[in-house]
């Protein structure tokens, strides 16, 4: 299994829809996980952290499933401005916190 | 302004030439990183640095050289550019577990 795997999509959803992405990881010792957002031709920016208890920020909910080794990102009431690529980040195997980025999941929200 | 800057933002060069991409941060973060981003591969780590004068290889270091004589600067050099090094290059620094990225350098090697 690759260190981090994501479905590249694109996920094409109408405004107002609820959409969820998953990200699987191979390092069972990983403690910290993150979701980053990347707009077209721009730099990635931190969206939210994912810890054992999960995390919710407005319309966004991130959860961790250690048993199955995946994290998820749920977006409720999708907006046109949510269109972007969502990158999953997990620590690289073997020690100090060096992040490994997934290839990203593309989301397109249409009117 | 505080943050991470990269220069140049766009660069066209020819095969075999040496190219240096600059990265400067104003926060004094210890860790800095260089990534390349290509379609189908996502972000791949080239080199990283834990502090001044400490650097280490990432996933795809071949053909690249880095240095970190000062905490705030982390230049990336392509010693002899190849077409396969055409990419978007992002520099980042880390505060705790959060990474902050520069705006990227788009490099085209002809």
């Amino acid at each position: 299994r690759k260190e981090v795997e994501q479905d590249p999509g694109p996920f094409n959803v109408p405004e107002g829809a609820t959409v969820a992405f998953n990200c699987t990881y191979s390092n069972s010792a990983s403690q910290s996980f993150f979701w980053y957002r990347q707009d077209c031709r721009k730099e990635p920016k931190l969206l939210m952290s994912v810890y054992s208890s999960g995390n919710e920020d407005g319309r966004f909910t991130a959860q961790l499933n250690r048993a199955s080794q995946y994290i998820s990102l749920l977006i409720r009431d999708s907006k046109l401005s949510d269109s972007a690529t969502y990158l999953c980040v997990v620590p690289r195997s073997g020690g100090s916190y060096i992040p490994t980025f997934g290839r990203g999941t593309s989301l397109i929200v249409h009117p | 302004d505080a943050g991470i800057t990269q220069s140049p933002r766009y660069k066209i060069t020819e095969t075999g030439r040496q190219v240096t991409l600059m990265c400067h941060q104003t926060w004094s973060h210890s860790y800095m990183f260089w990534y390349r981003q290509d379609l189908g591969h996502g972000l791949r780590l080239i080199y990283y640095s834990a502090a001044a004068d400490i650097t280490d290889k990432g996933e795809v270091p071949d053909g690249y050289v880095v240095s970190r004589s000062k905490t705030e600067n982390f230049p990336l050099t392509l010693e002899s550019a190849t077409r396969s090094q055409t990419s978007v290059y992002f520099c980042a620094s880390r505060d705790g577990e959060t990474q902050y990225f520069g705006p990227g350098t788009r490099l085209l090697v002809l």
Side-chain angles (χ1 to χ4, degrees):
Chain A
R1 173 189 266 186
K2 290 184 180 178
E3 286 202 68
V4 186
E5 290 197 80
Q6 293 184 254
D7 180 346
F11 285 63
N12 207 318
V13 303
E15 272 186 294
T18 295
V19 62
F21 317 129
N22 285 342
C23 167
T24 58
Y25 62 92
S26 61
N27 180 11
S28 59
S30 296
Q31 296 295 318
S32 303
F33 307 85
F34 303 88
W35 285 101
Y36 278 69
R37 170 190 169 131
Q38 186 174 25
D39 294 301
C40 186
R41 300 180 68 80
K42 300 277 188 149
E43 70 273 23
K45 293 182 179 178
L46 178 66
L47 177 66
M48 59 197 308
S49 308
V50 188
Y51 296 108
S52 298
S53 56
N55 195 5
E56 184 171 326
D57 183 4
R59 298 181 293 109
F60 297 82
T61 300
Q63 292 188 318
L64 168 63
N65 184 316
R66 284 198 183 278
S68 301
Q69 292 185 212
Y70 73 86
I71 64 173
S72 62
L73 178 67
L74 179 79
I75 305 174
R76 291 180 295 276
D77 189 22
S78 298
K79 311 292 184 189
L80 295 177
S81 58
D82 293 335
S83 297
T85 297
Y86 292 85
L87 306 171
C88 165
V89 181
V90 306
R92 192 175 72 169
S93 308
S96 62
Y97 184 78
I98 303 299
T100 299
F101 283 78
R103 294 183 183 184
T105 297
S106 176
L107 172 65
I108 301 171
V109 182
H110 59 82
Chain B
D1 289 345
I4 294 188
T5 56
Q6 292 184 237
S7 61
R9 294 292 312 281
Y10 302 89
K11 177 73 177 179
I12 299 175
T13 191
E14 295 177 336
T15 302
R17 299 229 176 184
Q18 184 179 81
V19 177
T20 295
L21 309 184
M22 304 302 293
C23 177
H24 175 78
Q25 55 127 340
T26 60
W27 292 304
S28 299
H29 293 160
S30 295
Y31 273 86
M32 295 187 75
F33 305 82
W34 273 107
Y35 295 90
R36 60 178 291 174
Q37 188 172 38
D38 307 285
L39 281 174
H41 288 282
L43 280 164
R44 291 185 289 175
L45 183 63
I46 305 171
Y47 269 96
Y48 66 98
S49 169
D53 297 321
I54 301 174
T55 62
D56 209 345
K57 294 179 180 179
E59 183 184 351
V60 289
D62 293 343
Y64 302 95
V65 174
V66 293
S67 62
R68 188 132 179 244
S69 58
K70 292 183 179 181
T71 299
E72 60 266 31
N73 296 325
F74 191 36
L76 175 74
T77 298
L78 287 65
E79 295 183 296
S80 178
T82 65
R83 289 182 181 171
S84 65
Q85 292 178 309
T86 291
S87 187
V88 180
Y89 291 85
F90 288 104
C91 177
S93 69
R94 195 183 92 197
D95 180 24
E97 292 176 329
T98 301
Q99 289 209 305
Y100 297 91
F101 286 82
T105 294
R106 284 161 176 75
L107 176 67
L108 174 61
V109 183
L110 300 175

